[in-house]
């Protein structure tokens, strides 16, 4: 998708389809209070073209509700698509992100390849979104671009009859905005949106097409394209580094593991934090000897979504060049049952020296991450963040749209929480602590890799805490939210790319305050 920015009045933008926002401005409640769909634009021609349908009562401007007007009078666009944001008082930057995605996903199946999207006028948005009167925050433009790009992604890449329905041109209509800031924001939106889609495209690949070795090659290729340092190691290096926990998962597969290291070291930055990004890269999780039931096992190709997210973040960082050092470590392996696979009861020695009793070979993510966290610290990380499709328990607790976050440091967590207001992603903090540490004490060694039925997401997080130790650390459990189960108006069914935007924003918070 090619993105352009137009400062012309939106009625003058020639395009196949022009998306314009509307919100329900009805403040009163109760059965008598009819929805009041109101356009978020000051363009008189667009208002005139939409007046009929808005007055009809057919269209309520509900969240992501659309109505199409063909050959709108007075507009250069061939079609006018009104996209609803729901109640005006509840509109956020995320609503605009979703609406832009909705416009693109409306266009795709209809063979429309060019979409213009009008940014809302600053006067029309609630105060929470526009803190300084009259100035549309750059975050709105960025979100619109991200939403459009995310909306453009579809998962059907292996259909032989596939007709690529991608939208080729996106025109952002920015009639009343601050130009330089909007240009920068659009550029950011393109990079972040494309990086999220890069992560999604990796997650979408099946296990036979994306082995740990191939994931390593994809990392190296990306690193070369955007200018990152990259090393990809395999079994020999795992042995050299004494990564007994990581290797214990890899040993059961005919596919060798990949220890992927990506480095972003901006010139002249020799002080300050070194952020360590650690990703779970299980390219397929059968469960190993503690094998999973076959129902839904095909989904376990997405067990590298945390690793892919880190690769996406590094791509965005390389292109947007924040002045902070960042290292990513992705631990890629396949979890297989075989004659060489580890067994329940085995005891493994992690890189840190801690011994782990294997209770369940299906709790493999925490094993590869244990050594990934130790390695990131050894490489000089002063702050850690990991992302992993770690536990089914996180979906039981939070459902499939909100992901879990755990931290041993409130300041580090506060930065992440602030980043969420920019990214629009949903995370909820869950507890760590001594009670959970109790549940993973082993009789034979230091710790065991499962903690029983209850509090599964927290015992898994507490296991990782043992390896992060006192380094400020965030753990993101994205097992539920990494896969979109049913397509939504603004995003396709399949890999969600969750965590890319939030981690990127968190990284950036180490050099500048979060802007909303
Ligand atoms: N990759 C899974 C977690 C998962 C489950 C991700 C469903 C996405 C969807 C992880 O390796 C796993 O198998 N976890 C086990 C841990 C248990 C054995 C303690 C789980 O959650 O059941
Ligand atoms: Mn597993
Ligand atoms: Zn797994």
């Amino acid at each position: 998708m090619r993105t352009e920015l137009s400062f012309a009045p939106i009625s003058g933008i020639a395009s196949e389809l022009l998306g314009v926002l509307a919100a329900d401005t009805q403040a009163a409640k109760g059965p008598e209070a009819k929805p009041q769909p109101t356009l978020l634009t000051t363009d008189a021609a667009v208002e005139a073209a939409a007046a009929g349908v808005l007055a009809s009562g057919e269209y309520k401007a509900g969240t992501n509700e659309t109505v199409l007007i063909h050959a709108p009078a007075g507009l250069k666009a061939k079609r006018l698509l009104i996209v609803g944001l729901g109640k005006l008082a509840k509109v956020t930057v995320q609503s605009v992100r979703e609406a832009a995605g909705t416009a693109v996903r409306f266009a795709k199946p209809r063979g429309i390849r060019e979409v213009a999207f009008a940014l809302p006028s600053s006067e029309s948005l609630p105060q929470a979104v526009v803190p300084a009167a009259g100035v549309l925050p750059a975050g709105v433009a960025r979100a619109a671009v991200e939403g459009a790009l995310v909306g453009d992604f579809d998962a059907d890449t292996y259909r032989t009859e596939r007709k690529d329905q991608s939208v080729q041109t996106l025109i952002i209509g920015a009639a009343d905005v601050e130009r330089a800031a909007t240009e920068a924001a659009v550029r950011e939106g393109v990079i972040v949106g494309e990086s999220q889609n890069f992560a999604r495209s990796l997650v979408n690949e099946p296990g036979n097409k994306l082995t740990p070795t191939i994931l390593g090659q994809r990392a190296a290729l990306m690193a070369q394209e955007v200018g990152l340092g990259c090393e990809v190691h395999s079994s020999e290096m795992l042995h050299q580094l004494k990564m007994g926990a990581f290797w214990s998962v890899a040993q059961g597969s005919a596919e060798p593991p990949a220890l992927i290291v990506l480095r972003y070291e901006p010139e002249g930055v020799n002080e300050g934090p070194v952020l360590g990004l650690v990703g779970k890269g299980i390219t397929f999780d059968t469960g190993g000897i503690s094998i999973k039931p076959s129902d839904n096992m095909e989904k376990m190709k997405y067990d590298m979504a945390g690793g892919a997210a880190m690769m996406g973040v590094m791509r965005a960082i390389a292109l947007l060049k924040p002045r902070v050092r960042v290292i990513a470590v992705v631990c890629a392996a396949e979890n297989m049952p075989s004659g060489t696979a580890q067994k329940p009861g085995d005891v493994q020695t992690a890189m840190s020296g801690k011994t782990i009793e294997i209770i369940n070979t299906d709790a493999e993510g925490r094993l590869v991450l244990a050594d990934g966290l130790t390695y990131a610290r050894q490489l000089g990380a002063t702050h850690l963040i990991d992302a992993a499709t770690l536990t089914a328990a996180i979906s039981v607790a939070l459902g499939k749209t909100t992901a879990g976050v755990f931290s041993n440091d409130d300041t580090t967590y506060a930065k992440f929480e602030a980043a969420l207001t920019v990214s629009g992603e949903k995370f909820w903090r869950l507890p760590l602590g001594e009670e959970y540490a109790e549940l993973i004490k082993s009789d034979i060694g230091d710790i065991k890799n499962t903690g029983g039925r209850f509090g599964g997401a927290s015992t898994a997080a507490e296991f990782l805490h043992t390896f992060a130790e006192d380094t400020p650390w965030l753990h993101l459990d994205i097992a539920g939210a990494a896969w979109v189960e049913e397509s939504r108006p603004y995003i396709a069914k399949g890999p969600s790319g969750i965590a890319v935007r939030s981690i990127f924003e968190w990284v950036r918070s180490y050099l500048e305050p979060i802007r909303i």
Side-chain angles (χ1 to χ4, degrees):
M1 189 193 279
R2 202 161 43 86
T3 307
E4 296 166 13
L5 182 54
S6 168
F7 296 109
I10 53 172
S11 48
I13 299 177
S15 68
E16 289 294 318
L17 180 139
L18 170 66
V20 172
L21 298 170
D24 178 4
T25 52
Q26 176 61 267
K29 288 181 181 152
E32 294 303 299
K34 289 210 185 71
Q36 222 166 67
T38 308
L39 291 184
L40 306 191
T41 175
T42 50
D43 190 298
V46 173
E47 283 183 329
V53 72
L54 293 189
S56 71
E58 294 164 28
Y59 178 73
K60 301 178 174 58
T63 308
N64 300 316
E65 185 191 355
T66 53
V67 64
L68 182 70
I69 301 165
H70 270 266
L75 306 196
K76 284 233 176 101
K78 289 193 191 155
R79 304 170 186 85
L80 176 63
L81 180 75
I82 306 175
V83 186
L85 296 174
K87 287 275 182 203
L88 181 66
K90 292 196 174 156
V91 166
T92 62
V93 175
Q94 175 62 13
S95 328
V96 177
R97 192 180 274 109
E98 290 182 10
T102 301
V104 166
R105 293 199 67 70
F106 182 93
K108 287 190 77 177
R110 293 171 174 83
I112 299 166
R113 298 280 164 269
E114 183 189 46
V115 172
F117 185 80
L119 296 180
S121 69
S122 56
E123 305 87 77
S124 65
L125 286 173
Q127 251 231 300
V129 183
V130 185
V135 185
L136 188 69
V140 175
R142 180 184 142 182
V145 175
E146 287 169 358
L149 278 158
V150 167
D152 199 37
F153 179 98
D154 269 295
D156 58 346
T157 45
Y158 285 100
R159 280 199 182 135
T160 49
E161 299 289 291
R162 179 181 194 236
K163 294 185 183 60
D164 184 5
Q165 294 182 310
S166 299
V167 167
Q168 279 152 14
T169 310
L170 170 72
I171 306 163
I172 295 292
D176 74 330
V177 297
E178 214 269 288
R179 289 195 181 197
T182 308
E183 271 164 13
V186 165
R187 179 169 173 266
E188 270 182 26
V190 169
I191 291 170
V192 175
E194 283 179 355
S195 298
Q196 183 174 345
N197 284 348
F198 168 68
R200 292 165 84 196
S201 69
L202 292 172
V203 176
N204 197 42
E205 289 296 314
N208 65 327
K209 304 281 185 191
L210 192 95
T211 60
T213 307
I214 298 172
L215 186 64
Q217 289 165 355
R218 297 286 289 267
L221 194 68
M222 180 275 287
Q224 200 174 33
E225 275 169 17
V226 302
L228 288 169
C230 178
E231 300 137 42
V232 182
H233 307 289
S234 192
S235 313
E236 203 175 310
M237 184 70 158
L238 265 59
H239 296 311
Q240 261 179 41
L241 292 169
K242 297 192 161 47
M243 289 182 155
F246 186 176
W247 174 251
S248 77
V249 178
Q251 72 181 49
S253 174
E255 289 294 339
L259 170 63
I260 303 166
V261 182
L262 293 163
R263 292 170 197 268
Y264 171 70
E265 287 160 338
E267 230 170 279
V269 183
N270 305 311
E271 281 176 29
V274 177
L275 307 179
L277 279 45
V278 181
K280 171 177 175 182
I282 299 297
T283 58
F284 197 82
D285 181 11
T286 65
I289 295 297
S290 315
I291 198 160
K292 288 180 181 293
S294 44
D295 264 10
N296 290 319
M297 205 208 271
E298 74 283 355
K299 284 277 192 59
M300 280 302 113
K301 69 173 188 174
Y302 88 81
D303 214 18
M304 34 59 74
M310 294 320 189
M311 287 168 59
V313 173
M314 291 307 281
R315 182 187 181 279
I317 289 172
L319 295 170
L320 285 167
K321 303 189 173 23
R323 292 185 58 74
V324 57
R325 291 172 290 173
V326 190
I327 304 170
V329 174
V330 177
C331 299
E334 207 181 49
N335 189 22
M336 296 289 278
S338 78
T340 62
Q342 71 175 333
K343 304 167 290 297
D346 286 0
V347 175
Q348 311 291 359
T349 306
M351 185 184 178
S352 75
K354 293 229 162 67
T355 56
I356 304 166
E357 180 189 6
I358 305 300
I359 301 297
N360 189 319
T361 65
D362 198 10
E364 84 298 341
R366 64 199 76 183
L367 297 172
V368 304
L369 289 171
D371 286 344
L373 289 164
T374 304
Y375 190 45
R377 293 176 78 205
Q378 194 188 85
L379 293 176
T382 59
H383 297 70
L384 294 165
I385 187 164
D386 76 66
T389 46
L390 203 65
T391 67
I394 201 71
S395 334
V396 175
L398 301 176
K400 293 260 176 182
T401 46
T402 298
V405 49
F406 301 79
S407 184
N408 60 356
D409 182 66
D410 289 345
T411 311
T412 306
Y413 173 73
K415 279 175 165 289
F416 186 76
E417 195 180 28
L420 296 179
T421 62
V422 178
S423 73
E425 294 179 332
K426 288 190 175 132
F427 280 83
W428 196 259
R429 190 176 184 182
L430 291 161
L432 296 164
E434 193 46 47
E435 298 89 331
Y436 302 107
E438 271 306 314
L439 298 174
I440 50 171
K441 281 194 175 143
S442 165
D443 293 334
I444 188 173
D446 297 329
I447 58 174
K448 53 186 184 182
N449 79 332
T450 66
R453 262 184 79 199
F454 299 108
S458 282
T459 48
E462 193 54 46
F463 181 97
L464 298 179
H465 188 188
T466 315
F467 298 91
E469 297 186 32
D470 52 6
T471 303
W473 156 77
L474 290 156
H475 158 56
L476 311 182
D477 192 341
I478 59 170
W483 195 263
V484 180
E485 300 284 343
E486 287 301 332
S487 63
R488 300 199 276 267
Y490 53 92
I491 193 166
K493 180 175 172 173
S496 68
I498 190 170
V500 172
R501 296 201 306 265
S502 300
I503 299 171
F504 171 73
E505 217 49 51
W506 174 79
V507 166
R508 228 170 30 174
S509 76
Y510 280 84
L511 51 129
E512 54 187 72
I514 297 274
R515 298 149 303 134
I516 298 169

